[in-house]
Amino acid sequence: MTDEKELAHQQFSDDLALYALGSLDAASAAKLEQHLGQCGACRKELAGLRGGAAVLALSATGPAAPERSRSRLMAAIAQEKAADAGSESLMLRLRRPWWTLAPVFASLLLALFAIMLWQENESLKDSLAAAHEQQMRLQAHMERIRETIRLLNAPDAAHITLVSTGAKPQPQIKTIYEKKSGRLLLMATNLATLPAGKTYELWLVPAQGAPIPAGLFRPDARGSVALSPSAVPAGSEAKAFAVTIEPESGSSTPTMPIVMMSSAGS
Ligand SMILES: [Zn+2]
C-alpha cells in the first residue's frame, strides 16, 4: 500500500462512523463507497460500527472517538438545526430501525436473562433443600454413632454381662467380622488380668495356612474391652478366631497356648 493510499484509508476510516449513522454528506459518501469496494478492512470496520459501535465511537466516553469525525458530526447537527430549526432534529433523523429497536432488544434480552436466572435459582433452591435434608439425616446418624461409641468407651458406665443363673461369670469375647472388607470389631468382658508387659492378640484362623494377626487388645481393670477395631486382609476366610497372650508389641505367629477360641460355625 502506498503512503497516499494509506493516508486515504485513514481518512475513510474516520468517515466510517458518520457513514454508519447515515450522517456523511453525499459527496464524501460516494468517495467512501468507492473505497469500500476496494478495502476489506473498511468493510469489516463498517460492519462493526453498524452493530452499534458508531454511537460509542462518537460519544465523548467512547474508547476511540475520532476527533475529526466528532467535529464533523457537530457541524452536521448545526447545519441540520439551521436548515430545519422547526420540528425534526438530527437525533430523530438518526433513528434507524436498528437504533430504535436496540432498547427493545435489550429489554427482551434482560427479560430472558431474568427468566433464566429465576429458573436456575429455583433449581438451586431445590438442590439446596435436598442437600440440607441429606445433611440433617447424616448429622442425626453421626450423632447416634457418636453416642454409641461414647457409651461403649465411657469409663464410668457399667458393663454388665448376663449369664445363666448360678453360673460364674465367664470370660467372653465378641467379634464382628466383615469378610469382604476384612474389618472387625472386638468387645470383651470378664477377661483375666494380663501379666506385666503382655497383651492379648486376636488371630483369624483360615481354612488353610497360618493364623493371621487380627489385632491387639488389653482389658481395663474390670476385664472389659469396650470396642477394639482392627482389620485383616480383605476377603480372608475365617474358620475360627483365637486369642493368645503375646509380648506387648504383638507377634506375627501365635505363642501357645491358645487361651480362647471361637466354637466352630459361630
Ligand atoms: Zn480502507
Side-chain angles (χ1 to χ4, degrees):
M1 201 182 278
T2 68
D3 282 358
E4 202 180 320
K5 265 194 181 167
E6 173 68 37
L7 213 68
H9 174 76
Q10 269 174 12
Q11 182 210 316
F12 284 126
S13 80
D14 275 0
D15 284 345
L16 282 171
L18 284 171
Y19 184 74
L21 288 169
S23 300
L24 194 63
D25 61 83
S28 302
K31 270 193 254 170
L32 177 62
E33 276 160 7
Q34 201 190 354
H35 176 71
L36 281 169
Q38 305 157 4
C39 183
C42 281
R43 279 199 299 277
K44 207 169 149 193
E45 200 183 331
L46 179 63
L49 287 167
R50 282 196 164 136
V55 177
L56 270 182
L58 290 173
S59 76
T61 53
E67 195 48 49
R68 213 165 63 83
S69 299
R70 217 169 51 222
S71 54
R72 285 173 75 175
L73 179 65
M74 292 310 147
I77 292 169
Q79 223 172 34
E80 188 74 15
K81 273 186 182 158
D84 189 6
S87 54
E88 204 188 19
S89 78
L90 176 71
M91 288 322 282
L92 278 171
R93 211 166 68 78
L94 285 175
R95 287 191 178 171
R96 303 285 149 139
W98 68 268
W99 169 246
T100 20
L101 287 178
V104 179
F105 284 137
S107 305
L108 281 173
L109 272 177
L110 278 176
L112 198 67
F113 277 128
I115 290 167
M116 280 163 64
L117 282 174
W118 178 80
Q119 281 176 338
E120 197 172 318
N121 190 35
E122 286 305 295
S123 83
L124 278 176
K125 266 193 212 160
D126 284 353
S127 35
L128 197 65
H132 185 69
E133 204 180 303
Q134 170 82 357
Q135 199 200 340
M136 295 302 280
R137 268 204 304 274
L138 274 175
Q139 236 161 35
H141 191 63
M142 282 299 296
E143 197 42 53
R144 278 200 301 277
I145 292 173
R146 219 176 284 138
E147 179 54 24
T148 307
I149 292 173
R150 187 199 66 76
L151 189 58
L152 274 168
N153 291 303
D156 51 350
H159 289 222
I160 301 148
T161 306
L162 279 71
V163 295
S164 298
T165 47
K168 217 176 134 230
Q170 290 294 304
Q172 193 177 57
I173 296 175
K174 287 245 174 251
T175 54
I176 300 169
Y177 174 57
E178 188 186 52
K179 183 183 154 190
K180 72 171 178 206
S181 68
R183 276 200 260 266
L184 57 89
L185 293 174
L186 177 146
M187 287 158 282
T189 47
N190 300 319
L191 293 185
T193 310
L194 283 164
K198 297 284 185 179
T199 180
Y200 283 112
E201 185 158 6
L202 180 71
W203 302 91
L204 182 151
V205 183
Q208 281 160 355
I212 301 165
L216 307 176
F217 58 98
R218 269 181 209 84
D220 61 18
R222 299 166 306 185
S224 293
V225 177
L227 185 66
S228 176
S230 64
V232 294
S236 301
E237 184 80 58
K239 195 179 81 180
F241 283 94
V243 172
T244 57
I245 296 172
E246 303 291 342
E248 218 157 18
S249 56
S251 302
S252 54
T253 53
T255 305
M256 295 299 128
I258 287 170
V259 295
M260 290 181 81
M261 178 108 184
S262 66
S263 50
S266 71

